[in-house]
Amino acid sequence: MAVLVASGSKAPARPRRRPVVSSGWAFVIPFLVFFAIAILAPVVYAIYLSLFRDQLVGGSSFVGLANYGQALTDPDFWFGVGRVFGFMIIQVPIMLVFSLIAALAIDSGRLRAPGFYRILLFLPYAVPGVVAVLIWGFIYGPRFGLVGSINSFLGAQIFTPLTPEWVLGSIANIAVWEFAGYNMVIFYAALRTVPNELYEAASLDGAGAFRTILSIKLPALRGALVITTIFSIIGSFQLFNEPNLLKPIAPNAITSTFTPNLYAYNLAFTGQQYNYSATIAIVMGLLTAVIAYVVQLRGTRKELR
Amino acid sequence: MNAAPIERRRSRLAPRSSIGLTIVMIVLVLYTLVPLAYLLINSTKSQDDFFTSFGLSFGSSFNLFQNIGEVFSYNDGIYSRWFLNTLLYVVVSAGGATILAALGGYGIAKFRFKGRSAVFAVVLGAVAIPGTALALPTFLLFSSIGLVNTPWAIIIPSLVSPFGLYLMWTYASEAVPSEILEAARIDGAGEFRTFFTVSIRLLAPGLVTVLLFSIVTTWNNYFLPLIMLSDPKWYPLTLGLAQWNAQSTGTNADPIQNLIITGSLLAIIPLVIVFLLLQRYWQSGLAAGSVKA
């Protein structure tokens, strides 16, 4: 890029420089047009909606930040936030450790047919989330599912994945199953970029396998770890598909306010409370962005050290 | 003096640790494959066998082809309509998203223009906005301009992939040398002509990666269609299967678990084939994206 600027400013190239500059915009504008329609406009509209309230008499009226005040003191909302936060703290580390072990093992060169493991572990990512939840829902089924068969074989209710105590863990299991292989591929791709000379130098210094992992592989994975952690956090805070699809078979365990997203959805589509629903969506968006930003700051700060 | 002990330790360690690692990997693979095996096995069962036989064993009859026939004929063959809808959404959205991301990412990587860093900051900021937080306001906006319950409600939001643009930006910075663009400029080629004749070939692995991940996102999309569509004739597969599932539980249930399972299996196969065929491309594209992160 530096080359481009330097040569562009040379005297003979001057007449050519202007078209180059404007065509930069020409390349970006098609994306920006759809970006404005599909992302900017809804965000602005949501903010606008969050400042109004439908009154019983007199239609919609401006209420300032009153909806935000309501959200901040809404126990249903905060229970949901607490639930996805608890989910995140348990599910994300388990999944990333799974992905990390698999990526390191495949990269170690000590497995026969590593490509075979790589593609098998990745397969669930190609399965639509809806289908993944349907399959696991059948497996969890207490009456006709796999869990049901095992329980009746054992003659006792040993496994109860759809009870209020276990349902969050059952959802976490589905999420681990869906995304561990995807994260593994990202880690593996990052490991492949480590230059071979580094490994040679380490082995000349007498470093064993674990030393190499600690001193070379994990530092090389830092960027990928930050990215996968951020995306997993965003995913946890957006939790919707799994609880919404399991709800019919676990009606006692999953309420309409189970996660903030489910809450916002039900507010809008069964309660017709669009203004408050938009407010919840914005608060969740802000919370997610703040947490993702903190993770990124921490991740990059370590990198600078 | 140094080399010998290292060699010896390697040859001593390698076979032993590979057994341990292999066992770990087999456990992980089993965990991954059991639900898929469950799907495969149960798609061969009749509805009666599904309820009476053990989940991981075959039923009394092999009903796979009968199930497939029923999937396509149930409810006046609505499943094929859902399949075609999904294809439409995928081709238009994922194709469009890839072209837009490629042009934009290339523009940011290869041109210096006023406002470039602002564009970049805004787009990257949008990566952190949760998609579902956007979906509700998008629904409200689209319903006020009459786009709800049309294919546009699915296609337009899916055309924008901030992450795709980011990936194309990192990929273009590395894969397209500025000297080539300079040479093309001196030869008098327009910027778009250069892009479509020269750069696009260098961008191919990045393009395939973005295309594949856009395909997956669109093929698997559930939340957006759930919100936007009320008419089953515009449903994609995901929403259709979810609806079959909803109607097979509760009161007045129409138990069609064998169709849900077989329909699910059929919905997975195209994506699995695409991933297997193109694995070399998307894995190298991901590698380039993960360096910069």
Side-chain angles (χ1 to χ4, degrees), chain A residues 98-115:
Chain A
F98 177 142
S99 313
L100 204 56
I101 290 175
L104 288 169
I106 291 170
D107 184 64
S108 71
R110 296 181 180 196
L111 287 175
R112 227 164 274 162

Side-chain angles (χ1 to χ4, degrees), chain A residues 40-72:
Chain A
L40 283 186
V43 167
V44 170
Y45 191 58
I47 294 171
Y48 169 83
L49 278 173
S50 72
L51 302 175
F52 288 82
R53 198 175 272 179
D54 264 333
Q55 311 288 7
L56 283 176
V57 189
S60 183
S61 65
F62 182 78
V63 292
L65 297 177
N67 287 327
Y68 291 91
Q70 187 186 342
L72 294 180

Side-chain angles (χ1 to χ4, degrees), chain A residues 1 4-5 20 23 25 49 110 118 121 124 126 128 134 136 144 173 177 182 203 206 238 240-241 244 261 274, chain B residues 6 9 17-18 31-32 35 51 109-112 114 132 137 140 191 213 220 222-223 245 271 276 283 293:
Chain A
M1 282 181 284
L4 211 163
V5 174
V20 172
S23 49
W25 271 110
L49 278 173
R110 296 181 180 196
R118 200 167 71 225
L121 292 182
L134 292 179
W136 280 103
F144 50 77
N173 173 53
W177 185 79
Y182 171 74
S203 99
Q238 291 190 47
F240 176 86
N241 293 4
N244 193 49
N261 243 323
Y274 294 129
Chain B
I6 291 167
R9 189 161 64 200
S17 55
S18 89
Y31 169 73
T32 306
F51 278 106
K110 289 292 149 197
F111 296 91
R112 294 264 153 177
K114 226 180 185 178
T132 36
L140 298 172
E191 296 299 334
F213 286 93
N220 296 352
Y222 166 70
F223 192 61
N245 188 51
L271 273 193
L276 291 179
Q283 291 193 358

Side-chain angles (χ1 to χ4, degrees), chain A residues 1-5 7-8 16 19-21 23-28 30-32 34-35 37-43 45-46 49 98 101-102 104-106 108 110-112 115 117-131 134-136 138-139 143-146 149-150 172-174 176-177 182 185-186 188-190 192-193 199 203-209 223-224 227 231 234 238 240-241 244-245 248-249 261 264-265 268-269 274 277-278 281-282 284-285 288-289 292 300 303, chain B residues 2 6 9-10 13-14 17-18 21-22 24-26 28-29 31-36 38-39 50-51 53-56 100-101 103-104 106-116 119 122-123 126-134 136-142 144 156-157 159-163 165-166 173 178-179 181-182 185-186 188 191-192 195 213 216-217 219-220 222-223 226-227 238-239 241-242 245-246 249 257 260-261 264-265 267-268 271-272 275-276 279 282-283 286-287 290-291 293:
Chain A
M1 282 181 284
V3 176
L4 211 163
V5 174
S7 54
R16 283 221 184 85
V20 172
V21 167
S23 49
W25 271 110
F27 277 95
V28 180
F31 181 90
L32 289 181
F34 285 96
F35 184 83
I37 300 172
I39 294 182
L40 283 186
V43 167
Y45 191 58
L49 278 173
F98 177 142
I101 290 175
L104 288 169
I106 291 170
S108 71
R110 296 181 180 196
L111 287 175
R112 227 164 274 162
Y117 291 104
R118 200 167 71 225
I119 202 71
L120 284 185
L121 292 182
F122 181 77
L123 272 185
Y125 182 72
V127 173
V130 169
V131 171
L134 292 179
I135 303 174
W136 280 103
F138 285 137
I139 292 176
R143 253 185 338 112
F144 50 77
L146 201 53
S149 313
I150 293 171
N173 173 53
I174 301 177
V176 169
W177 185 79
Y182 171 74
V185 168
I186 292 183
Y188 177 76
R192 290 277 92 179
T193 62
Y199 291 134
S203 99
L204 278 180
D205 288 345
I227 280 282
F231 279 110
I234 294 176
Q238 291 190 47
F240 176 86
N241 293 4
N244 193 49
L245 286 161
I249 57 167
N261 243 323
Y265 172 80
F269 290 92
Y274 294 129
S277 175
I282 291 172
M284 275 319 282
T288 314
T300 43
E303 207 161 9
Chain B
N2 249 340
I6 291 167
R9 189 161 64 200
R10 267 215 172 148
L13 261 176
S17 55
S18 89
L21 277 182
T22 306
V24 170
M25 292 307 281
I26 286 174
L28 296 183
V29 165
Y31 169 73
T32 306
L33 290 189
V34 163
L36 295 174
Y38 177 88
L39 186 69
F50 174 72
F51 278 106
S53 62
F54 178 67
L56 286 174
L100 291 176
L103 287 171
Y106 177 82
I108 290 176
K110 289 292 149 197
F111 296 91
R112 294 264 153 177
F113 54 93
K114 226 180 185 178
R116 172 182 170 274
V119 169
V122 169
V123 172
V127 175
I129 299 179
T132 36
L134 272 173
L136 285 168
T138 309
F139 164 79
L140 298 172
L141 193 69
F142 279 20
S144 64
I156 293 174
L159 280 174
V160 184
S161 165
F163 187 65
L165 181 124
Y166 167 78
S173 324
S178 296
E179 290 78 11
L181 302 185
E182 270 306 285
R185 263 167 218 148
I186 288 164
E191 296 299 334
F192 280 95
F195 176 81
F213 286 93
V216 173
T217 313
W219 189 276
N220 296 352
Y222 166 70
F223 192 61
L226 174 73
I227 284 178
T238 49
L239 200 50
L241 287 168
N245 188 51
T249 52
Q257 273 82 8
I260 298 167
I261 289 171
S264 297
L265 180 67
I268 294 176
L271 273 193
V272 169
F275 266 106
L276 291 179
Q279 40 162 331
W282 57 264
Q283 291 193 358
L286 265 189
S290 59
V291 193

